Amino acid sequence: SLSYDHNGGFKMDYLKNAGGENNLHVKAGDIVKFKNGSAKWQLYNSPDSVIDLEKAIAEKDYVLAYAYTEIQSDENSVWFISLGTNDGCRLWLNGLNVWDYPQSRGLVADDDMIPVLLKKGNNTLLLKVEERGNSWGFCVRFIPFSTAKLAERGELFSITTGENGEASIVSKFASPVLQQLIQNLNIEIVNHQNKPVLK
């Protein structure tokens, strides 16, 4: 059956004893203890940008893994994190949960293009990936930010209707990123004849 949410247990923070998912402090070799078990952080080098978690960790179903790295930036700047995962995932940059994809999918390298703000100096990146069966892996790359690419994908905002029938403008992106990207917003809604009905 199709599930539109993460596996059971995915939302639990297994890293509480190391600062938690939003304030992680780890290095290779550290052991993190959690209820009913423990895990050891290991340094992993991949021959390409796709990390095959079945080779790196285990060929098990209905499990999850964390990946952590640090990125140095010469200045405050907006970039795309280009992300592909198999299956669902969550992504934190500098402790802020900037992305959540809760469904099954195959790994496509640039499935998600997430605008993020890298601060000058050290930046931390934490990825949590679940396995629902078959393949398991991820790909994370940094791509220079482009408003044209963002507009081309049409993913900055969407209009949704709540249970009370009220329309809302929402974004999948974290509010610090939106504050960096958006100075002002003009919205025009057109009908089927392409005539404005609301500005």
Side-chain angles (χ1 to χ4, degrees), residues 9-26 30-35 37-41 64-68 92 125-128:
F10 183 86
K11 293 177 183 177
M12 181 183 289
D13 184 348
Y14 296 92
L15 303 177
K16 283 184 181 174
N17 291 336
E21 293 170 340
N22 60 356
N23 191 30
L24 185 63
H25 299 287
V26 293
D30 284 357
I31 294 175
V32 178
K33 294 181 180 178
F34 50 88
K35 186 179 178 181
S38 65
K40 184 176 181 179
W41 285 94
L64 65 87
Y66 289 98
Y68 174 82
W92 291 262
L125 187 71
L126 175 68
L127 178 66
K128 185 178 189 178

PDB file of all heavy atoms in Angstrom, residues 9-26 30-35 37-41 64-68 92 125-128:
ATOM      1  N   GLY A   9       8.480   5.313  13.603  1.00  0.00           N
ATOM      2  CA  GLY A   9       9.776   5.469  14.253  1.00  0.00           C
ATOM      3  C   GLY A   9      10.697   6.466  13.582  1.00  0.00           C
ATOM      4  O   GLY A   9      11.683   6.904  14.180  1.00  0.00           O
ATOM      5  N   PHE A  10      10.403   6.869  12.339  1.00  0.00           N
ATOM      6  CA  PHE A  10      11.291   7.789  11.636  1.00  0.00           C
ATOM      7  C   PHE A  10      11.352   9.149  12.324  1.00  0.00           C
ATOM      8  O   PHE A  10      12.395   9.802  12.338  1.00  0.00           O
ATOM      9  CB  PHE A  10      10.835   7.972  10.176  1.00  0.00           C
ATOM     10  CG  PHE A  10      11.742   8.854   9.359  1.00  0.00           C
ATOM     11  CD1 PHE A  10      12.856   8.331   8.724  1.00  0.00           C
ATOM     12  CD2 PHE A  10      11.489  10.221   9.227  1.00  0.00           C
ATOM     13  CE1 PHE A  10      13.698   9.142   7.969  1.00  0.00           C
ATOM     14  CE2 PHE A  10      12.329  11.030   8.482  1.00  0.00           C
ATOM     15  CZ  PHE A  10      13.435  10.484   7.851  1.00  0.00           C
ATOM     16  N   LYS A  11      10.242   9.577  12.879  1.00  0.00           N
ATOM     17  CA  LYS A  11      10.195  10.921  13.469  1.00  0.00           C
ATOM     18  C   LYS A  11      10.902  11.009  14.819  1.00  0.00           C
ATOM     19  O   LYS A  11      11.113  12.086  15.334  1.00  0.00           O
ATOM     20  CB  LYS A  11       8.739  11.381  13.591  1.00  0.00           C
ATOM     21  CG  LYS A  11       8.103  11.589  12.222  1.00  0.00           C
ATOM     22  CD  LYS A  11       6.654  11.962  12.301  1.00  0.00           C
ATOM     23  CE  LYS A  11       6.065  12.073  10.892  1.00  0.00           C
ATOM     24  NZ  LYS A  11       4.637  12.356  10.909  1.00  0.00           N
ATOM     25  N   MET A  12      11.299   9.864  15.374  1.00  0.00           N
ATOM     26  CA  MET A  12      12.028   9.878  16.642  1.00  0.00           C
ATOM     27  C   MET A  12      13.449  10.415  16.426  1.00  0.00           C
ATOM     28  O   MET A  12      14.092  10.097  15.427  1.00  0.00           O
ATOM     29  CB  MET A  12      12.096   8.462  17.226  1.00  0.00           C
ATOM     30  CG  MET A  12      12.824   8.395  18.564  1.00  0.00           C
ATOM     31  SD  MET A  12      12.953   6.706  19.181  1.00  0.00           S
ATOM     32  CE  MET A  12      11.253   6.405  19.625  1.00  0.00           C
ATOM     33  N   ASP A  13      13.921  11.221  17.368  1.00  0.00           N
ATOM     34  CA  ASP A  13      15.283  11.754  17.320  1.00  0.00           C
ATOM     35  C   ASP A  13      16.209  10.759  18.015  1.00  0.00           C
ATOM     36  O   ASP A  13      16.272  10.703  19.237  1.00  0.00           O
ATOM     37  CB  ASP A  13      15.322  13.125  18.004  1.00  0.00           C
ATOM     38  CG  ASP A  13      16.688  13.796  17.906  1.00  0.00           C
ATOM     39  OD1 ASP A  13      17.667  13.121  17.522  1.00  0.00           O
ATOM     40  OD2 ASP A  13      16.767  14.997  18.222  1.00  0.00           O
ATOM     41  N   TYR A  14      16.934   9.971  17.223  1.00  0.00           N
ATOM     42  CA  TYR A  14      17.829   8.955  17.772  1.00  0.00           C
ATOM     43  C   TYR A  14      19.173   9.539  18.211  1.00  0.00           C
ATOM     44  O   TYR A  14      20.023   8.817  18.724  1.00  0.00           O
ATOM     45  CB  TYR A  14      18.064   7.850  16.733  1.00  0.00           C
ATOM     46  CG  TYR A  14      16.811   7.083  16.394  1.00  0.00           C
ATOM     47  CD1 TYR A  14      15.998   7.467  15.336  1.00  0.00           C
ATOM     48  CD2 TYR A  14      16.419   5.985  17.155  1.00  0.00           C
ATOM     49  CE1 TYR A  14      14.834   6.787  15.039  1.00  0.00           C
ATOM     50  CE2 TYR A  14      15.254   5.293  16.875  1.00  0.00           C
ATOM     51  CZ  TYR A  14      14.464   5.701  15.815  1.00  0.00           C
ATOM     52  OH  TYR A  14      13.306   5.019  15.532  1.00  0.00           O
ATOM     53  N   LEU A  15      19.372  10.829  17.985  1.00  0.00           N
ATOM     54  CA  LEU A  15      20.664  11.458  18.272  1.00  0.00           C
ATOM     55  C   LEU A  15      20.635  12.342  19.514  1.00  0.00           C
ATOM     56  O   LEU A  15      21.540  13.156  19.711  1.00  0.00           O
ATOM     57  CB  LEU A  15      21.111  12.276  17.053  1.00  0.00           C
ATOM     58  CG  LEU A  15      21.210  11.488  15.743  1.00  0.00           C
ATOM     59  CD1 LEU A  15      21.597  12.408  14.600  1.00  0.00           C
ATOM     60  CD2 LEU A  15      22.191  10.342  15.875  1.00  0.00           C
ATOM     61  N   LYS A  16      19.618  12.188  20.353  1.00  0.00           N
ATOM     62  CA  LYS A  16      19.485  13.053  21.542  1.00  0.00           C
ATOM     63  C   LYS A  16      20.737  13.046  22.405  1.00  0.00           C
ATOM     64  O   LYS A  16      21.125  14.077  22.944  1.00  0.00           O
ATOM     65  CB  LYS A  16      18.272  12.629  22.374  1.00  0.00           C
ATOM     66  CG  LYS A  16      16.966  13.092  21.794  1.00  0.00           C
ATOM     67  CD  LYS A  16      15.808  12.739  22.704  1.00  0.00           C
ATOM     68  CE  LYS A  16      14.508  13.212  22.056  1.00  0.00           C
ATOM     69  NZ  LYS A  16      13.337  12.786  22.822  1.00  0.00           N
ATOM     70  N   ASN A  17      21.386  11.895  22.548  1.00  0.00           N
ATOM     71  CA  ASN A  17      22.580  11.814  23.396  1.00  0.00           C
ATOM     72  C   ASN A  17      23.815  12.442  22.759  1.00  0.00           C
ATOM     73  O   ASN A  17      24.871  12.496  23.386  1.00  0.00           O
ATOM     74  CB  ASN A  17      22.870  10.354  23.768  1.00  0.00           C
ATOM     75  CG  ASN A  17      21.816   9.797  24.713  1.00  0.00           C
ATOM     76  OD1 ASN A  17      21.155  10.549  25.423  1.00  0.00           O
ATOM     77  ND2 ASN A  17      21.646   8.486  24.714  1.00  0.00           N
ATOM     78  N   ALA A  18      23.700  12.921  21.518  1.00  0.00           N
ATOM     79  CA  ALA A  18      24.815  13.604  20.847  1.00  0.00           C
ATOM     80  C   ALA A  18      24.415  15.031  20.476  1.00  0.00           C
ATOM     81  O   ALA A  18      24.953  15.612  19.543  1.00  0.00           O
ATOM     82  CB  ALA A  18      25.230  12.825  19.606  1.00  0.00           C
ATOM     83  N   GLY A  19      23.436  15.589  21.200  1.00  0.00           N
ATOM     84  CA  GLY A  19      22.994  16.957  20.928  1.00  0.00           C
ATOM     85  C   GLY A  19      21.662  17.033  20.216  1.00  0.00           C
ATOM     86  O   GLY A  19      21.036  18.079  20.165  1.00  0.00           O
ATOM     87  N   GLY A  20      21.242  15.932  19.603  1.00  0.00           N
ATOM     88  CA  GLY A  20      19.969  15.914  18.887  1.00  0.00           C
ATOM     89  C   GLY A  20      20.134  16.280  17.424  1.00  0.00           C
ATOM     90  O   GLY A  20      21.170  16.789  16.994  1.00  0.00           O
ATOM     91  N   GLU A  21      19.088  15.998  16.658  1.00  0.00           N
ATOM     92  CA  GLU A  21      19.148  16.246  15.208  1.00  0.00           C
ATOM     93  C   GLU A  21      19.361  17.720  14.882  1.00  0.00           C
ATOM     94  O   GLU A  21      19.944  18.045  13.855  1.00  0.00           O
ATOM     95  CB  GLU A  21      17.849  15.741  14.555  1.00  0.00           C
ATOM     96  CG  GLU A  21      17.725  14.237  14.622  1.00  0.00           C
ATOM     97  CD  GLU A  21      16.364  13.701  14.222  1.00  0.00           C
ATOM     98  OE1 GLU A  21      15.372  14.473  14.252  1.00  0.00           O
ATOM     99  OE2 GLU A  21      16.269  12.509  13.868  1.00  0.00           O
ATOM    100  N   ASN A  22      18.909  18.621  15.757  1.00  0.00           N
ATOM    101  CA  ASN A  22      19.057  20.044  15.446  1.00  0.00           C
ATOM    102  C   ASN A  22      20.258  20.691  16.147  1.00  0.00           C
ATOM    103  O   ASN A  22      20.436  21.903  16.061  1.00  0.00           O
ATOM    104  CB  ASN A  22      17.764  20.810  15.772  1.00  0.00           C
ATOM    105  CG  ASN A  22      17.392  20.708  17.232  1.00  0.00           C
ATOM    106  OD1 ASN A  22      18.042  20.009  17.992  1.00  0.00           O
ATOM    107  ND2 ASN A  22      16.342  21.399  17.616  1.00  0.00           N
ATOM    108  N   ASN A  23      21.103  19.891  16.813  1.00  0.00           N
ATOM    109  CA  ASN A  23      22.293  20.455  17.470  1.00  0.00           C
ATOM    110  C   ASN A  23      23.368  19.370  17.617  1.00  0.00           C
ATOM    111  O   ASN A  23      23.952  19.195  18.674  1.00  0.00           O
ATOM    112  CB  ASN A  23      21.908  21.028  18.844  1.00  0.00           C
ATOM    113  CG  ASN A  23      23.024  21.861  19.437  1.00  0.00           C
ATOM    114  OD1 ASN A  23      23.808  22.470  18.734  1.00  0.00           O
ATOM    115  ND2 ASN A  23      23.106  21.857  20.757  1.00  0.00           N
ATOM    116  N   LEU A  24      23.625  18.661  16.537  1.00  0.00           N
ATOM    117  CA  LEU A  24      24.471  17.473  16.570  1.00  0.00           C
ATOM    118  C   LEU A  24      25.950  17.823  16.734  1.00  0.00           C
ATOM    119  O   LEU A  24      26.457  18.751  16.112  1.00  0.00           O
ATOM    120  CB  LEU A  24      24.272  16.680  15.270  1.00  0.00           C
ATOM    121  CG  LEU A  24      24.992  15.351  15.165  1.00  0.00           C
ATOM    122  CD1 LEU A  24      24.488  14.383  16.224  1.00  0.00           C
ATOM    123  CD2 LEU A  24      24.775  14.759  13.777  1.00  0.00           C
ATOM    124  N   HIS A  25      26.647  17.041  17.584  1.00  0.00           N
ATOM    125  CA  HIS A  25      28.091  17.160  17.766  1.00  0.00           C
ATOM    126  C   HIS A  25      28.669  15.750  17.701  1.00  0.00           C
ATOM    127  O   HIS A  25      28.597  15.003  18.683  1.00  0.00           O
ATOM    128  CB  HIS A  25      28.424  17.807  19.116  1.00  0.00           C
ATOM    129  CG  HIS A  25      27.877  19.186  19.259  1.00  0.00           C
ATOM    130  ND1 HIS A  25      28.404  20.274  18.595  1.00  0.00           N
ATOM    131  CD2 HIS A  25      26.814  19.659  19.947  1.00  0.00           C
ATOM    132  CE1 HIS A  25      27.711  21.359  18.891  1.00  0.00           C
ATOM    133  NE2 HIS A  25      26.731  21.005  19.704  1.00  0.00           N
ATOM    134  N   VAL A  26      29.218  15.362  16.542  1.00  0.00           N
ATOM    135  CA  VAL A  26      29.776  14.015  16.383  1.00  0.00           C
ATOM    136  C   VAL A  26      31.039  14.052  15.537  1.00  0.00           C
ATOM    137  O   VAL A  26      31.301  15.015  14.830  1.00  0.00           O
ATOM    138  CB  VAL A  26      28.778  13.038  15.705  1.00  0.00           C
ATOM    139  CG1 VAL A  26      27.590  12.776  16.584  1.00  0.00           C
ATOM    140  CG2 VAL A  26      28.375  13.526  14.337  1.00  0.00           C
ATOM    141  N   ASP A  30      32.536   7.977  17.040  1.00  0.00           N
ATOM    142  CA  ASP A  30      31.625   8.182  18.176  1.00  0.00           C
ATOM    143  C   ASP A  30      30.523   7.133  18.168  1.00  0.00           C
ATOM    144  O   ASP A  30      30.025   6.747  17.109  1.00  0.00           O
ATOM    145  CB  ASP A  30      30.966   9.568  18.111  1.00  0.00           C
ATOM    146  CG  ASP A  30      31.909  10.690  18.520  1.00  0.00           C
ATOM    147  OD1 ASP A  30      33.055  10.393  18.900  1.00  0.00           O
ATOM    148  OD2 ASP A  30      31.492  11.862  18.448  1.00  0.00           O
ATOM    149  N   ILE A  31      30.139   6.681  19.348  1.00  0.00           N
ATOM    150  CA  ILE A  31      29.022   5.753  19.494  1.00  0.00           C
ATOM    151  C   ILE A  31      27.842   6.518  20.081  1.00  0.00           C
ATOM    152  O   ILE A  31      27.988   7.209  21.096  1.00  0.00           O
ATOM    153  CB  ILE A  31      29.401   4.556  20.385  1.00  0.00           C
ATOM    154  CG1 ILE A  31      30.491   3.729  19.680  1.00  0.00           C
ATOM    155  CG2 ILE A  31      28.176   3.699  20.694  1.00  0.00           C
ATOM    156  CD1 ILE A  31      31.038   2.582  20.483  1.00  0.00           C
ATOM    157  N   VAL A  32      26.714   6.426  19.434  1.00  0.00           N
ATOM    158  CA  VAL A  32      25.489   7.076  19.901  1.00  0.00           C
ATOM    159  C   VAL A  32      24.558   5.998  20.419  1.00  0.00           C
ATOM    160  O   VAL A  32      24.222   5.063  19.706  1.00  0.00           O
ATOM    161  CB  VAL A  32      24.812   7.877  18.756  1.00  0.00           C
ATOM    162  CG1 VAL A  32      23.518   8.504  19.245  1.00  0.00           C
ATOM    163  CG2 VAL A  32      25.751   8.931  18.211  1.00  0.00           C
ATOM    164  N   LYS A  33      24.155   6.154  21.683  1.00  0.00           N
ATOM    165  CA  LYS A  33      23.241   5.191  22.294  1.00  0.00           C
ATOM    166  C   LYS A  33      21.822   5.731  22.220  1.00  0.00           C
ATOM    167  O   LYS A  33      21.588   6.927  22.364  1.00  0.00           O
ATOM    168  CB  LYS A  33      23.634   4.944  23.745  1.00  0.00           C
ATOM    169  CG  LYS A  33      24.979   4.256  23.874  1.00  0.00           C
ATOM    170  CD  LYS A  33      25.358   3.996  25.315  1.00  0.00           C
ATOM    171  CE  LYS A  33      26.710   3.315  25.358  1.00  0.00           C
ATOM    172  NZ  LYS A  33      27.164   3.083  26.724  1.00  0.00           N
ATOM    173  N   PHE A  34      20.893   4.837  21.967  1.00  0.00           N
ATOM    174  CA  PHE A  34      19.481   5.186  21.944  1.00  0.00           C
ATOM    175  C   PHE A  34      18.706   4.002  22.504  1.00  0.00           C
ATOM    176  O   PHE A  34      19.283   2.940  22.772  1.00  0.00           O
ATOM    177  CB  PHE A  34      19.009   5.556  20.525  1.00  0.00           C
ATOM    178  CG  PHE A  34      19.382   4.557  19.472  1.00  0.00           C
ATOM    179  CD1 PHE A  34      18.560   3.479  19.178  1.00  0.00           C
ATOM    180  CD2 PHE A  34      20.577   4.685  18.763  1.00  0.00           C
ATOM    181  CE1 PHE A  34      18.911   2.548  18.214  1.00  0.00           C
ATOM    182  CE2 PHE A  34      20.941   3.756  17.801  1.00  0.00           C
ATOM    183  CZ  PHE A  34      20.104   2.689  17.525  1.00  0.00           C
ATOM    184  N   LYS A  35      17.418   4.191  22.725  1.00  0.00           N
ATOM    185  CA  LYS A  35      16.603   3.119  23.295  1.00  0.00           C
ATOM    186  C   LYS A  35      16.712   1.873  22.420  1.00  0.00           C
ATOM    187  O   LYS A  35      16.566   1.935  21.208  1.00  0.00           O
ATOM    188  CB  LYS A  35      15.150   3.579  23.377  1.00  0.00           C
ATOM    189  CG  LYS A  35      14.239   2.609  24.091  1.00  0.00           C
ATOM    190  CD  LYS A  35      12.823   3.135  24.163  1.00  0.00           C
ATOM    191  CE  LYS A  35      11.925   2.127  24.838  1.00  0.00           C
ATOM    192  NZ  LYS A  35      10.534   2.573  24.910  1.00  0.00           N
ATOM    193  N   GLY A  37      19.349   0.148  21.591  1.00  0.00           N
ATOM    194  CA  GLY A  37      20.524  -0.069  20.753  1.00  0.00           C
ATOM    195  C   GLY A  37      21.506   1.074  20.733  1.00  0.00           C
ATOM    196  O   GLY A  37      21.408   2.032  21.504  1.00  0.00           O
ATOM    197  N   SER A  38      22.470   0.956  19.830  1.00  0.00           N
ATOM    198  CA  SER A  38      23.478   1.997  19.634  1.00  0.00           C
ATOM    199  C   SER A  38      23.990   1.905  18.196  1.00  0.00           C
ATOM    200  O   SER A  38      23.774   0.908  17.512  1.00  0.00           O
ATOM    201  CB  SER A  38      24.635   1.823  20.623  1.00  0.00           C
ATOM    202  OG  SER A  38      25.319   0.624  20.363  1.00  0.00           O
ATOM    203  N   ALA A  39      24.641   2.958  17.766  1.00  0.00           N
ATOM    204  CA  ALA A  39      25.221   2.993  16.417  1.00  0.00           C
ATOM    205  C   ALA A  39      26.555   3.733  16.479  1.00  0.00           C
ATOM    206  O   ALA A  39      26.753   4.603  17.334  1.00  0.00           O
ATOM    207  CB  ALA A  39      24.269   3.681  15.448  1.00  0.00           C
ATOM    208  N   LYS A  40      27.442   3.378  15.576  1.00  0.00           N
ATOM    209  CA  LYS A  40      28.771   3.998  15.535  1.00  0.00           C
ATOM    210  C   LYS A  40      28.896   4.840  14.267  1.00  0.00           C
ATOM    211  O   LYS A  40      28.601   4.365  13.167  1.00  0.00           O
ATOM    212  CB  LYS A  40      29.845   2.914  15.553  1.00  0.00           C
ATOM    213  CG  LYS A  40      31.256   3.442  15.606  1.00  0.00           C
ATOM    214  CD  LYS A  40      32.238   2.284  15.714  1.00  0.00           C
ATOM    215  CE  LYS A  40      33.665   2.771  15.793  1.00  0.00           C
ATOM    216  NZ  LYS A  40      34.614   1.651  15.911  1.00  0.00           N
ATOM    217  N   TRP A  41      29.322   6.088  14.428  1.00  0.00           N
ATOM    218  CA  TRP A  41      29.562   6.951  13.275  1.00  0.00           C
ATOM    219  C   TRP A  41      30.813   6.482  12.558  1.00  0.00           C
ATOM    220  O   TRP A  41      31.847   6.254  13.187  1.00  0.00           O
ATOM    221  CB  TRP A  41      29.733   8.413  13.712  1.00  0.00           C
ATOM    222  CG  TRP A  41      28.439   9.049  14.087  1.00  0.00           C
ATOM    223  CD1 TRP A  41      27.905   9.151  15.323  1.00  0.00           C
ATOM    224  CD2 TRP A  41      27.500   9.667  13.196  1.00  0.00           C
ATOM    225  NE1 TRP A  41      26.695   9.790  15.264  1.00  0.00           N
ATOM    226  CE2 TRP A  41      26.421  10.123  13.976  1.00  0.00           C
ATOM    227  CE3 TRP A  41      27.457   9.873  11.812  1.00  0.00           C
ATOM    228  CZ2 TRP A  41      25.320  10.777  13.428  1.00  0.00           C
ATOM    229  CZ3 TRP A  41      26.367  10.523  11.274  1.00  0.00           C
ATOM    230  CH2 TRP A  41      25.314  10.962  12.073  1.00  0.00           C
ATOM    231  N   LEU A  64      16.607   3.106   9.076  1.00  0.00           N
ATOM    232  CA  LEU A  64      16.990   4.457   8.674  1.00  0.00           C
ATOM    233  C   LEU A  64      18.470   4.662   8.941  1.00  0.00           C
ATOM    234  O   LEU A  64      19.089   3.910   9.700  1.00  0.00           O
ATOM    235  CB  LEU A  64      16.148   5.520   9.390  1.00  0.00           C
ATOM    236  CG  LEU A  64      16.279   5.648  10.909  1.00  0.00           C
ATOM    237  CD1 LEU A  64      17.415   6.573  11.312  1.00  0.00           C
ATOM    238  CD2 LEU A  64      14.974   6.162  11.497  1.00  0.00           C
ATOM    239  N   ALA A  65      19.033   5.679   8.312  1.00  0.00           N
ATOM    240  CA  ALA A  65      20.443   6.022   8.507  1.00  0.00           C
ATOM    241  C   ALA A  65      20.574   7.531   8.534  1.00  0.00           C
ATOM    242  O   ALA A  65      19.761   8.264   7.955  1.00  0.00           O
ATOM    243  CB  ALA A  65      21.294   5.450   7.375  1.00  0.00           C
ATOM    244  N   TYR A  66      21.621   7.985   9.216  1.00  0.00           N
ATOM    245  CA  TYR A  66      21.994   9.395   9.220  1.00  0.00           C
ATOM    246  C   TYR A  66      23.293   9.553   8.444  1.00  0.00           C
ATOM    247  O   TYR A  66      24.168   8.685   8.490  1.00  0.00           O
ATOM    248  CB  TYR A  66      22.246   9.898  10.634  1.00  0.00           C
ATOM    249  CG  TYR A  66      21.025  10.044  11.512  1.00  0.00           C
ATOM    250  CD1 TYR A  66      20.687   9.060  12.426  1.00  0.00           C
ATOM    251  CD2 TYR A  66      20.232  11.190  11.448  1.00  0.00           C
ATOM    252  CE1 TYR A  66      19.591   9.205  13.265  1.00  0.00           C
ATOM    253  CE2 TYR A  66      19.137  11.346  12.281  1.00  0.00           C
ATOM    254  CZ  TYR A  66      18.821  10.348  13.185  1.00  0.00           C
ATOM    255  OH  TYR A  66      17.732  10.503  14.013  1.00  0.00           O
ATOM    256  N   ALA A  67      23.430  10.686   7.760  1.00  0.00           N
ATOM    257  CA  ALA A  67      24.698  11.070   7.131  1.00  0.00           C
ATOM    258  C   ALA A  67      24.980  12.503   7.578  1.00  0.00           C
ATOM    259  O   ALA A  67      24.076  13.346   7.612  1.00  0.00           O
ATOM    260  CB  ALA A  67      24.594  10.998   5.613  1.00  0.00           C
ATOM    261  N   TYR A  68      26.241  12.776   7.896  1.00  0.00           N
ATOM    262  CA  TYR A  68      26.618  14.084   8.431  1.00  0.00           C
ATOM    263  C   TYR A  68      27.897  14.559   7.763  1.00  0.00           C
ATOM    264  O   TYR A  68      28.817  13.763   7.523  1.00  0.00           O
ATOM    265  CB  TYR A  68      26.840  13.970   9.949  1.00  0.00           C
ATOM    266  CG  TYR A  68      27.377  15.225  10.595  1.00  0.00           C
ATOM    267  CD1 TYR A  68      26.524  16.258  10.947  1.00  0.00           C
ATOM    268  CD2 TYR A  68      28.742  15.369  10.848  1.00  0.00           C
ATOM    269  CE1 TYR A  68      27.014  17.409  11.547  1.00  0.00           C
ATOM    270  CE2 TYR A  68      29.243  16.519  11.444  1.00  0.00           C
ATOM    271  CZ  TYR A  68      28.377  17.536  11.801  1.00  0.00           C
ATOM    272  OH  TYR A  68      28.862  18.676  12.377  1.00  0.00           O
ATOM    273  N   TRP A  92      18.764  18.703   7.594  1.00  0.00           N
ATOM    274  CA  TRP A  92      19.029  19.841   8.475  1.00  0.00           C
ATOM    275  C   TRP A  92      20.290  20.542   8.000  1.00  0.00           C
ATOM    276  O   TRP A  92      21.291  19.898   7.693  1.00  0.00           O
ATOM    277  CB  TRP A  92      19.278  19.392   9.910  1.00  0.00           C
ATOM    278  CG  TRP A  92      18.091  18.848  10.627  1.00  0.00           C
ATOM    279  CD1 TRP A  92      17.281  19.517  11.496  1.00  0.00           C
ATOM    280  CD2 TRP A  92      17.591  17.506  10.579  1.00  0.00           C
ATOM    281  NE1 TRP A  92      16.300  18.673  11.969  1.00  0.00           N
ATOM    282  CE2 TRP A  92      16.471  17.428  11.427  1.00  0.00           C
ATOM    283  CE3 TRP A  92      17.977  16.356   9.886  1.00  0.00           C
ATOM    284  CZ2 TRP A  92      15.738  16.261  11.613  1.00  0.00           C
ATOM    285  CZ3 TRP A  92      17.253  15.194  10.056  1.00  0.00           C
ATOM    286  CH2 TRP A  92      16.145  15.154  10.919  1.00  0.00           C
ATOM    287  N   LEU A 125      25.654  19.813   7.951  1.00  0.00           N
ATOM    288  CA  LEU A 125      24.594  19.214   7.133  1.00  0.00           C
ATOM    289  C   LEU A 125      24.309  17.805   7.665  1.00  0.00           C
ATOM    290  O   LEU A 125      25.218  16.979   7.770  1.00  0.00           O
ATOM    291  CB  LEU A 125      25.041  19.131   5.678  1.00  0.00           C
ATOM    292  CG  LEU A 125      23.999  18.688   4.661  1.00  0.00           C
ATOM    293  CD1 LEU A 125      22.960  19.780   4.459  1.00  0.00           C
ATOM    294  CD2 LEU A 125      24.652  18.347   3.335  1.00  0.00           C
ATOM    295  N   LEU A 126      23.045  17.563   8.027  1.00  0.00           N
ATOM    296  CA  LEU A 126      22.624  16.261   8.527  1.00  0.00           C
ATOM    297  C   LEU A 126      21.472  15.763   7.670  1.00  0.00           C
ATOM    298  O   LEU A 126      20.504  16.489   7.456  1.00  0.00           O
ATOM    299  CB  LEU A 126      22.174  16.356   9.994  1.00  0.00           C
ATOM    300  CG  LEU A 126      21.600  15.077  10.610  1.00  0.00           C
ATOM    301  CD1 LEU A 126      22.687  14.006  10.758  1.00  0.00           C
ATOM    302  CD2 LEU A 126      20.951  15.375  11.958  1.00  0.00           C
ATOM    303  N   LEU A 127      21.585  14.543   7.180  1.00  0.00           N
ATOM    304  CA  LEU A 127      20.542  13.916   6.367  1.00  0.00           C
ATOM    305  C   LEU A 127      20.091  12.642   7.058  1.00  0.00           C
ATOM    306  O   LEU A 127      20.907  11.868   7.554  1.00  0.00           O
ATOM    307  CB  LEU A 127      21.083  13.593   4.974  1.00  0.00           C
ATOM    308  CG  LEU A 127      20.126  12.893   4.008  1.00  0.00           C
ATOM    309  CD1 LEU A 127      18.952  13.793   3.637  1.00  0.00           C
ATOM    310  CD2 LEU A 127      20.869  12.448   2.749  1.00  0.00           C
ATOM    311  N   LYS A 128      18.781  12.417   7.079  1.00  0.00           N
ATOM    312  CA  LYS A 128      18.187  11.207   7.646  1.00  0.00           C
ATOM    313  C   LYS A 128      17.403  10.539   6.527  1.00  0.00           C
ATOM    314  O   LYS A 128      16.525  11.163   5.929  1.00  0.00           O
ATOM    315  CB  LYS A 128      17.269  11.607   8.799  1.00  0.00           C
ATOM    316  CG  LYS A 128      16.647  10.492   9.581  1.00  0.00           C
ATOM    317  CD  LYS A 128      15.809  11.125  10.718  1.00  0.00           C
ATOM    318  CE  LYS A 128      15.298  10.129  11.705  1.00  0.00           C
ATOM    319  NZ  LYS A 128      14.534  10.808  12.794  1.00  0.00           N
TER     320      LYS A 128
END
